[in-house]
Amino acid sequence: DTEVTQTPKHLVMGMTNKKSLKCEQHMGHRAMYWYKQKAKKPPELMFVYSYEKLSINESVPSRFSPECPNSSLLNLHLHALQPEDSALYLCASSQDTSGASNTGELFFGEGSRLTVL
Amino acid sequence: AQKVTQAQTEISVVEKEDVTLDCVYETRDTTYYLFWYKQPPSGELVFLIRRNSFDEQNEISGRYSWNFQKSTSSFNFTITASQVVDSAVYFCALSDSSGYSTLTFGKGTMLLVSP
């Protein structure tokens, strides 16, 4: 079982809806990430939170709004999405963002599969 | 800029065959990290290995082995005696010394192991 939990696993929403994706980890990690993965493509980084502060936004449209209420939780608020935003949204966490962190692992959740109608 | 190339889009093998997944990378950094992840149909990316640029020792873990060659900028992954459960998409990835924020994935290789 993954130690990064994402809910919901599946979400269908209309273009006018407002919804949120949630991610939780209890490994004491201080860095959390949102990735977007389209079918048959590699994951693409969207946002990075380090010590609960947004450190990277990869020019993601404002209809995606991340939030990190505390070190264990990461949300992605969705509003006015487009059908092309349909994808698998993966949350990940690591001890910190440093490449030299001693565990060397970036833990991923199972993802939330989003369909925008 | 970093780049990871996985030239094999899809590989099909029969159970018990050995299979090698290729990964070639480009980076200007002297310190960098290489990774392999497995993504089964469930969607979760499963960490398999991390290797830093200063450690060229090959590694074996059960049926898995990795061959890191800086001279050819390659980090290949071999599965010995493949099993149906090995069927998944495998991603090679690269990050620079600043860490996971710069993780670049290859396009992935889909491995299909049939009984």
Side-chain angles (χ1 to χ4, degrees):
Chain A
D1 286 343
T2 181
E3 296 182 78
V4 177
T5 305
Q6 290 187 243
T7 55
K9 288 198 182 336
H10 299 274
L11 178 63
V12 179
M13 61 186 289
M15 290 190 284
T16 58
N17 292 158
K18 280 187 183 180
K19 297 286 184 184
S20 296
L21 305 180
K22 297 184 185 303
C23 176
E24 191 168 0
Q25 57 87 12
H26 294 290
M27 295 177 280
H29 288 172
R30 302 314 301 269
M32 296 186 77
Y33 311 74
W34 279 115
Y35 280 83
K36 174 181 177 179
Q37 187 178 23
K38 301 283 279 183
K40 298 186 186 296
K41 298 286 186 185
E44 296 177 349
L45 183 65
M46 299 175 73
F47 302 104
V48 179
Y49 272 84
S50 179
Y51 291 84
E52 299 160 50
K53 291 192 188 323
L54 182 64
S55 61
I56 291 182
N57 175 341
E58 291 285 353
S59 303
V60 179
S62 60
R63 56 186 185 269
F64 294 92
S65 175
E67 178 197 18
C68 189
N70 60 56
S71 60
S72 300
L73 293 174
L74 184 66
N75 298 322
L76 186 62
H77 302 299
L78 315 170
H79 175 52
L81 295 194
Q82 304 296 311
E84 59 265 29
D85 296 321
S86 299
L88 180 68
Y89 288 84
L90 291 160
C91 174
S93 73
S94 63
Q95 194 168 25
D96 53 43
T97 58
S98 167
S101 67
N102 55 19
T103 64
E105 291 191 45
L106 184 63
F107 291 82
F108 283 86
E110 290 189 352
S112 292
R113 194 165 297 279
L114 173 68
T115 302
V116 182
L117 301 176
Chain B
Q2 299 180 124
K3 186 178 177 183
V4 177
T5 302
Q6 294 180 255
Q8 304 147 309
T9 305
E10 187 173 317
I11 301 175
S12 293
V13 299
V14 177
E15 218 172 7
K16 296 183 184 172
E17 281 186 35
D18 298 348
V19 57
T20 296
L21 308 180
D22 298 332
C23 173
V24 174
Y25 63 92
E26 295 176 30
T27 180
R28 292 181 181 176
D29 295 303
T30 54
T31 300
Y32 53 89
Y33 301 86
L34 293 161
F35 306 79
W36 276 96
Y37 282 90
K38 173 183 180 181
Q39 188 173 40
S42 60
E44 175 192 356
L45 277 157
V46 179
F47 170 85
L48 296 178
I49 190 171
R50 169 186 183 256
R51 176 66 81 222
N52 73 51
S53 51
F54 299 110
D55 182 2
E56 285 194 73
Q57 268 194 322
N58 292 329
E59 180 152 340
I60 297 175
S61 176
R63 295 184 298 107
Y64 295 169
S65 63
W66 291 269
N67 183 280
F68 176 29
Q69 292 198 342
K70 279 178 86 168
S71 60
T72 55
S73 296
S74 65
F75 187 43
N76 296 336
F77 173 31
T78 297
I79 301 175
T80 303
S82 59
Q83 299 176 0
V84 172
V85 294
D86 295 328
S87 297
V89 179
Y90 290 85
F91 289 100
C92 181
L94 166 71
S95 73
D96 66 22
S97 56
S98 61
Y100 297 115
S101 304
T102 60
L103 193 65
T104 300
F105 286 89
K107 292 187 176 181
T109 297
M110 178 176 285
L111 174 65
L112 299 171
V113 183
S114 53

